[in-house]
Amino acid sequence: MSNATLERTSDLSTRRLAGIAALVAAAVFVLWGLVAPASTPGRILRVMFTKSALSATLRLSVPIAFAALGGIFAEKSGVINIGLEGLLIISAFTGVYATDVTGDIWLGLLIGVVSSVLLAALFAVVCIEFRADQIIAGLAVWLIALGLAPFASQVIYGGPNTASVETFNTITIPGLAGIPFFGALFDASPMVYLMFVATVASWYTLNRTSFGRWVIASGENPKALDTAGVDVTRVRYAAVLISGLLAGIGGAALSLSLGQFVGNGQTMVNGKGFIAIVAYLFGNYNPVGALLSTFLFAGLDALQLRLQAAAIIAVPQSLVRTIPYVAVIVVLALFGKTRLPEAAGEHYESGEDR
Amino acid sequence: MEPAVHLDGITKRFPGVVANDDVDLLVERGSVHALLGENGAGKTTLMNVLYGLYEPTEGDVYVDGDGLADGDDSPHRYAQPPKRFDSPADAIDAGVGMIHQHFMLVDPMSVTENITLGNEPRKWGGLAVDSARSRDEVVDLCDRYGFDVDPDAAIEDVSVGVQQRVEILKALYRGADILILDEPTAVLTPQEVEDLFAVFEELTAQGKTIIFISHKLGEAMHAADDITVLRDGKNVGTVAADDVTREQLAEMMVGREVLETVDKPPVERGESVLTVDHVSATDERGVEAVSDVSFTVHEGEVFGIAGVDGNGQSELIEAITGLRKPTAGSVAFQRDDITNWPRQRRIDEGMAYIPEDRHERGLVMDFDLTENGLLGSQHTPPFAESGRIEWDRARTHAQDIIDEYDVRPPNRDAKASSFSGGNQQKFIVGREFERDPSLVVATHPTRGVDIGSTEFIHDRLLDLRSNGKAVLLVSSKLEEVQGLSDRLAVMHDGEIMDVVDPETVTEEEIGLLMAGEQLPEDSAARSLTEAGDRSVAAGGESQ
C-alpha cells in the first residue's frame, strides 16, 4: 500500500514531464511550420488551417459531441453507458429509413432519435430495474445495433447500404461566412449549430438546475439523494433516456448529412461512440470540455483524411488513418486526470437499510 | 413533562431475530435524550423505526406536539392517531431528522448544495436553482444556531466534525424539530465531541429535541438530560443523567456487575516466541517511523505497547506481521528468522493478527461470515484440499466461531457489512484465536466494542496467556494495556522509551514516557528492559 502511494506520486511527476515534452514538441512543430512554410510541418499546417478543414472538423464532430454529451448525463447519474456506439448506429439507420419513407428529413431525424431513446430505455431497464452489469449491457446495446441495422438495411434495401435520401441544407449566415478559416462556423449544417446549443444547454442543466444537482448526487452518493427525498431510480432513468436522446440526434445527424446509411463492417459510425466516451472523460464530464476534446479528435480525423489525399508525408495510408486513435491514447496517458463519479457503475436499491 | 416523541410498545422482528421487543420510549421536548446500550442492543433499529426506515412489526409511533401536549401519557388520550412513516420523507414531514453514522453527503458538492439537496430554492419558474437564496438561507440557519460553517466549502475539503454539522443543518433546513444522531461521537476527536455537545445545548435552548445513540457511558452522562438503556432489544429503564452513577448505568447495560479490574492469574513465563531485534521501518512517506526497536515476547506473557496513536506502533506491528518490510534489524519467531518470510507463511506457522482497522484489513465487507472465516486459511487443509475449498468445513468453522464468540445475529450467510462493529470485531477475534496460534498480535482489539464484548475479548486474551501462548498487545486505551500486560513498553516517536512493570508504574509515569520523557531516578516503577534481555540471553529461562 505504502509503495503504491509512493509510486503514484513519482509516476505523476514523470507524467507531467512527458506532458510538457509533448507540448514543447507541438510548439516546435508549429514554429517550424510558420518559419519554413515549404517544409513538411509548414505544408501540414497549411492543410490544417483551411476553411474546409474546419468545416470538416465540425461535421465530424457532430456525432461524437452529441454522444459525448449523452454519455455525460448517464455516467454522472451513475450509469456507465458504453452503448453510445450502438445508439449512434441505430439512430443513423432509422433516421435515413424514416426520411426515405416519410420524405421529410426533420421527421426522419425525430424518428431516428425515438429509436435511440427506445434502445436506451431497454438499456436502462436492464441496468436499473434488473441490476445487470452496466458494461456488459452496454456492449450488448452496441452488438444489437451493430447486427440489427445492417440486417434491416439488407431486408429493406437488399444491401448493407441504404438508398440515398435528401441531406440537411447548410445554413449560411451572410457576411460572417466570408471570414477566412472561422467562416466555416457560419456556413454549416443546422446540426452543427444544434451541437453548440446542446452543449450550452447540457452545461446549464447539469450546473444550474435542480435536476442537474440530482444527477450529480445520484452518481456520487445515491443514498444522500435518496434520504433527501429524491427518487434515485427516476433520476437515473431520466439521465439514461437523455443520453439516448442526445446520442440519437448525433447518429441521425451523421447519416442524414451524408444522405445514406453505410452498413459495411463497423458501419459508418465506426467507433465514434467510443471516441465520444474518451472525449467526455478527457473533458472531465464538463460538456464544454467534452466539446473541445471532440474538436481535437475530429480535427485530427479531418487532418488525417487530408494527409491521405495530399500525400505530404511518406507514410503508408493505413498508418495515417490511425492518427486520431494514437492521439486518444497519448492524450489520455499524458493529460487524463479524470475523477469518476464515486458511485458510477454501482447499483442502487432504496429501501431497508444495508 | 411535555413529550415530543412517544414510542408505544415497539416490536421489530427480522427473520430469526427480535431486534426490538415491546419498547416504550418517552422523550421530553427540548431535552437531550441518550439511547444507551451495547452493540446489537437494538438502538439503531429503534431509531430507524422512528425515522421511517423500518416499519414496526407492532406498536405505535407518536410524534406530534398537539397530540402529546395534554400531559397525559396514556396513548388513548392522544387527539391524533399514531403516525405511520412509510419512508424517511414522511418522518421529515413530521419534523423528525436523522443523522446517520455514515454521513449522507455528496463529496464534491458545496456545503450549501448539500444542505439544500432535494429542496433547492428555484427561480425562473423552476428552470434554475436560486443559488443566492440557497446560500442566504444556509447562512441564516448557521447564524440562528451559532454554527461556524463555510457555506461555499466543498464537503471533501472540510473536517469530519464540520461534515457532521452540515448533516445537522440539513435536517434543520428541512424543518426538523426532533434530531436523531446515531453514534455521533464515534468519528470525532475529543475537541470535536465537546463542540458537538455545545451544539446540543444551543439546539435544545431553541426548543429542539435531541436523541442520540451511544455505547459510551461517560458521554451519555455528560451530554444527556435523560438516558434510556436498551439491552437485548428491551428497554431496561429510563433515568435522569444526574441521578445515576456510572456503575449503575454499566450494570443496566450489561445486566450484571462489571468487573472494573481484570483478574489476571499468575502464569509461568516460558521460552521466547517473538524477538524483535533492532528493527527500524519507514511510513508511507518514507519517513522513519520506527527507530531501532528491540524486545522479546515469551510464552505465557502479554507484552503491551502503549503510546499515543501514530508514534510508530502501526508500522512496528506491520513489520512484525509481514505487511511492511523493515529497513533495518530482524524479527525472529520461535526459532526462525522470519524477517523475509511472506505473510502466508507467518500465518501458517502460528502467528495470528487482529488488525487495527477491521474494515480495511480484518474483513472483506462484501463477503459473508463463512467466507470471512476462511481468510488466511484458504490455502491450507482442512479448508482446502488440492486447490478446492471445502465449503462444508468452512461453514461449520464459521458457525463455531459465531457460537463460541457470541456473534450476533448468528447468521453465517449474512455479509460482514451487515454486522455491527462490535460483532465484526468478535468474529475477527474468533477467527484469529481459532487458528491455535503460538503468538497473537492484537492491535486495538476492543476499539469501538461495547463493554460486554470488551470483557469477553480480554478474558480470551488472558486464556491464551494461561495456555502458554504469547500475546503482543497494542492499544491506545491505557487501562486496557496496563490491566492486561505482564510487561508494558511505551512508545514515543518510533522508539521504545522504556519497558515497565504495569503493576507498579503510575499513570503519571506512563504519561511522562508517552510524552517522550525518561522516568525520574527515584521512580518506584521497575524498569523491565534488562530482565527481558537477560531472559533472551539465557535462552528463554523462566523468571
Side-chain angles (χ1 to χ4, degrees):
Chain A
M1 191 181 83
S2 57
N3 291 338
T5 335
L6 269 177
E7 276 159 22
R8 212 182 305 141
T9 35
S10 62
D11 179 59
L12 263 180
S13 52
T14 49
R15 256 178 67 167
R16 189 172 303 155
L17 280 178
I20 291 168
L23 285 177
V24 168
V28 167
F29 178 84
V30 170
L31 272 177
W32 185 4
L34 288 177
V35 172
S39 66
T40 308
R43 287 159 70 194
I44 292 176
L45 279 185
R46 225 175 312 139
V47 173
M48 267 167 84
F49 290 101
T50 57
K51 201 171 148 184
S52 74
L54 179 59
S55 115
T57 300
L58 290 174
R59 201 180 60 242
L60 290 167
S61 291
V62 169
I64 302 177
F66 275 108
L69 292 175
I72 291 176
F73 275 96
E75 191 154 331
K76 268 279 176 193
S77 82
V79 183
I80 302 173
N81 186 354
I82 68 159
L84 293 171
E85 176 88 0
L87 300 178
L88 288 176
I89 295 174
I90 207 77
S91 53
F93 170 77
T94 320
V96 167
Y97 176 59
T99 307
D100 190 19
V101 171
T102 62
D104 184 336
I105 189 167
W106 290 100
L107 199 57
L109 174 73
L110 179 71
I111 295 172
V113 169
V114 168
S115 72
S116 162
V117 171
L118 286 177
L119 190 55
L122 175 72
F123 171 73
V125 168
V126 167
C127 283
I128 301 170
E129 189 69 31
F130 296 111
R131 305 165 62 85
D133 186 282
Q134 294 171 2
I135 303 297
I136 294 171
L139 285 175
V141 165
W142 170 44
L143 293 171
I144 287 171
L146 190 61
L148 203 57
F151 171 71
S153 173
Q154 188 77 41
V155 169
I156 298 164
Y157 298 100
N161 302 346
T162 64
S164 288
V165 295
E166 62 169 316
T167 58
F168 287 113
N169 298 318
T170 53
I171 299 176
T172 309
I173 298 169
L176 291 174
I179 302 171
F181 187 62
F182 291 106
L185 285 168
F186 305 103
D187 184 12
S189 143
M191 292 299 114
V192 171
Y193 299 113
L194 192 59
M195 169 176 75
F196 286 103
V197 173
T199 304
V200 174
S202 299
W203 182 88
Y204 181 87
T205 308
L206 281 172
N207 291 289
R208 288 288 179 269
T209 66
S210 293
F211 176 71
R213 295 258 174 97
W214 300 348
V215 167
I216 293 166
S218 155
E220 291 289 343
N221 187 349
K223 205 158 189 188
L225 187 65
D226 194 20
T227 49
V230 179
D231 188 338
V232 174
T233 304
R234 280 172 67 174
V235 170
R236 289 191 167 180
Y237 268 114
V240 174
L241 291 184
I242 289 173
S243 81
L245 171 89
L246 289 165
I249 299 175
L254 172 68
S255 60
L256 289 174
S257 65
L258 187 74
Q260 191 190 26
F261 173 77
V262 183
N264 289 317
Q266 298 296 304
T267 77
M268 67 194 307
V269 176
N270 197 14
K272 292 185 173 60
F274 293 112
I275 297 267
I277 295 174
V278 178
Y280 75 69
L281 288 176
F282 183 45
N284 210 359
Y285 300 97
N286 182 331
V288 178
L291 183 68
L292 293 177
S293 40
T294 299
F295 286 162
L296 175 69
F297 298 134
L300 287 168
D301 205 11
L303 176 69
Q304 168 272 119
L305 290 172
R306 269 160 184 69
L307 287 180
Q308 281 191 54
I312 296 173
I313 40 177
V315 172
Q317 303 275 299
S318 38
L319 279 185
V320 174
R321 227 172 288 147
T322 63
I323 287 177
Y325 305 99
V326 172
V328 164
I329 293 168
V330 171
V331 156
L332 276 188
L334 296 185
F335 304 100
K337 54 165 176 53
T338 310
R339 180 192 172 284
L340 256 66
E342 199 72 30
E346 286 174 17
H347 300 292
Y348 181 73
E349 201 170 11
S350 178
E352 299 228 327
D353 230 6
R354 292 168 191 148
Chain B
M1 168 164 175
E2 187 188 330
V5 173
H6 185 183
L7 301 181
D8 184 37
I10 298 291
T11 298
K12 176 67 188 173
R13 286 193 200 93
F14 292 107
V17 190
V18 183
N20 289 139
D21 186 3
D22 193 25
V23 176
D24 292 322
L25 180 70
L26 209 55
V27 180
E28 188 176 346
R29 182 172 304 280
S31 72
V32 178
H33 198 110
L35 205 54
L36 191 65
E38 301 199 272
N39 299 322
K43 309 176 297 268
T44 304
T45 306
L46 187 67
M47 288 301 102
N48 282 342
V49 166
L50 175 56
Y51 189 54
L53 277 170
Y54 296 156
E55 213 163 303
T57 316
E58 282 162 35
D60 294 319
V61 176
Y62 298 90
V63 184
D64 184 18
D66 301 332
L68 300 183
D70 56 11
D72 189 334
D73 292 343
S74 158
H76 314 291
R77 298 294 181 89
Y78 292 145
Q80 306 276 339
K83 299 283 183 196
R84 276 250 160 254
F85 297 152
D86 292 330
S87 72
D90 293 349
I92 293 167
D93 287 344
V96 179
M98 184 156 175
I99 288 96
H100 297 269
Q101 216 170 341
H102 302 286
F103 298 149
M104 307 282 180
L105 297 171
V106 185
D107 283 345
M109 284 188 175
S110 75
V111 166
T112 300
E113 287 169 344
N114 266 287
I115 291 172
T116 56
L117 183 67
N119 289 48
E120 298 90 350
R122 302 184 192 183
K123 59 185 177 185
W124 304 344
L127 277 179
V129 174
D130 193 338
S131 314
R133 188 148 70 89
S134 341
R135 194 178 181 283
D136 289 347
E137 286 176 359
V138 169
V139 170
D140 281 353
L141 207 59
C142 289
D143 288 347
R144 180 151 27 118
Y145 296 103
F147 283 45
D148 181 22
V149 177
D150 174 6
D152 304 315
I155 289 296
E156 55 201 356
D157 296 335
V158 301
S159 71
V160 173
V162 172
Q163 292 182 6
Q164 186 172 57
R165 247 164 281 171
V166 173
E167 281 281 17
I168 296 175
L169 284 167
K170 217 166 106 179
L172 293 171
Y173 184 80
R174 286 167 173 69
D177 284 317
I178 299 151
L179 290 166
I180 308 165
L181 294 97
D182 190 357
E183 301 266 8
T185 61
V187 291
L188 301 181
T189 64
Q191 181 52 46
E192 286 173 331
V193 170
E194 283 309 310
D195 294 346
L196 175 70
F197 291 157
V199 166
F200 282 4
E201 278 178 30
E202 183 62 43
L203 289 170
T204 47
Q206 301 201 32
K208 305 287 180 192
T209 306
I210 290 170
I211 307 174
F212 77 98
I213 296 176
S214 178
H215 64 256
K216 295 181 189 147
L217 290 173
E219 69 185 35
M221 292 183 66
H222 176 58
D225 299 310
D226 300 301
I227 302 170
T228 293
V229 179
L230 288 190
R231 186 174 75 225
D232 292 335
K234 295 192 184 70
N235 181 344
V236 182
T238 299
V239 290
D242 296 336
D243 309 340
V244 71
T245 65
R246 283 180 73 97
E247 287 69 28
Q248 287 169 328
L249 272 183
E251 203 189 323
M252 286 168 80
M253 279 171 76
V254 298
R256 65 200 128 88
E257 294 279 356
V258 183
L259 300 171
E260 283 285 324
T261 49
V262 190
D263 185 26
K264 204 168 63 178
V267 175
E268 187 88 336
R269 187 165 113 177
E271 294 194 13
S272 71
V273 175
L274 177 76
T275 307
V276 175
D277 190 22
H278 298 287
V279 162
S280 298
T282 54
D283 65 11
E284 276 77 7
R285 297 161 295 160
V287 180
E288 184 163 270
V290 179
S291 321
D292 195 24
V293 165
S294 302
F295 62 86
T296 305
V297 188
H298 302 86
E299 288 173 349
E301 177 183 51
V302 176
F303 187 87
I305 297 179
V308 178
D309 272 355
N311 271 289
Q313 298 97 318
S314 308
E315 289 81 4
L316 174 63
I317 293 304
E318 288 173 8
I320 293 169
T321 52
L323 293 162
R324 180 180 298 267
K325 213 171 158 36
T327 48
S330 67
V331 181
F333 180 49
Q334 288 159 331
R335 308 215 171 279
D336 308 299
D337 181 347
I338 63 163
T339 318
N340 293 313
W341 278 18
R343 173 100 189 96
Q344 181 67 49
R345 185 154 176 210
R346 294 178 205 230
I347 298 173
D348 293 345
E349 298 289 327
M351 181 191 286
Y353 174 41
I354 300 168
E356 63 180 303
D357 186 336
R358 54 179 163 256
H359 291 189
E360 184 141 332
R361 292 231 162 117
L363 297 166
V364 178
M365 297 317 263
D366 277 344
F367 279 9
D368 62 30
L369 291 191
T370 302
E371 292 163 323
N372 270 300
L374 202 57
L375 294 182
S377 319
Q378 67 272 31
H379 298 299
T380 35
F383 300 111
E385 298 287 354
S386 55
R388 205 178 64 83
I389 288 175
E390 296 286 338
W391 284 110
D392 283 342
R393 192 57 211 261
R395 273 186 281 270
T396 42
H397 179 61
Q399 194 60 52
D400 289 346
I401 297 174
I402 289 167
D403 296 341
E404 184 93 358
Y405 293 83
D406 190 29
V407 178
R408 276 179 281 181
N411 179 4
R412 64 173 184 233
D413 296 324
K415 281 187 180 182
S417 56
S418 69
F419 289 83
S420 67
N423 283 302
Q424 291 171 353
Q425 187 72 12
K426 282 193 276 187
F427 188 79
I428 295 174
V429 168
R431 180 184 70 204
E432 296 304 319
F433 287 6
E434 290 301 302
R435 293 190 203 288
D436 191 23
S438 1
L439 169 72
V440 174
V441 179
T443 44
H444 308 287
T446 59
R447 182 177 272 177
V449 173
D450 59 57
I451 297 176
S453 312
T454 298
E455 209 180 306
F456 179 82
I457 292 171
H458 287 170
D459 288 346
R460 287 304 170 122
L461 283 168
L462 291 176
D463 284 351
L464 284 172
R465 170 178 170 274
S466 305
N467 293 333
K469 313 290 185 192
V471 177
L472 175 60
L473 172 71
V474 178
S475 175
S476 48
K477 291 187 203 164
L478 204 50
E479 63 275 16
E480 180 170 271
V481 265
Q482 205 178 349
L484 293 176
S485 304
D486 294 295
R487 288 188 298 149
L488 178 62
V490 184
M491 273 190 92
H492 169 77
D493 199 19
E495 292 179 46
I496 289 189
M497 298 308 297
D498 208 343
V499 183
V500 293
D501 177 2
E503 302 276 336
T504 55
V505 77
T506 63
E507 274 196 27
E508 289 71 32
E509 285 166 338
I510 295 182
L512 272 181
L513 293 170
M514 278 165 56
E517 317 241 346
Q518 294 294 336
L519 284 185
E521 289 291 326
D522 57 345
S523 167
R526 283 191 301 133
S527 179
L528 298 178
T529 331
E530 308 299 311
D533 286 349
R534 215 176 23 246
S535 69
V536 180
E541 187 187 309
S542 64
Q543 259 191 333

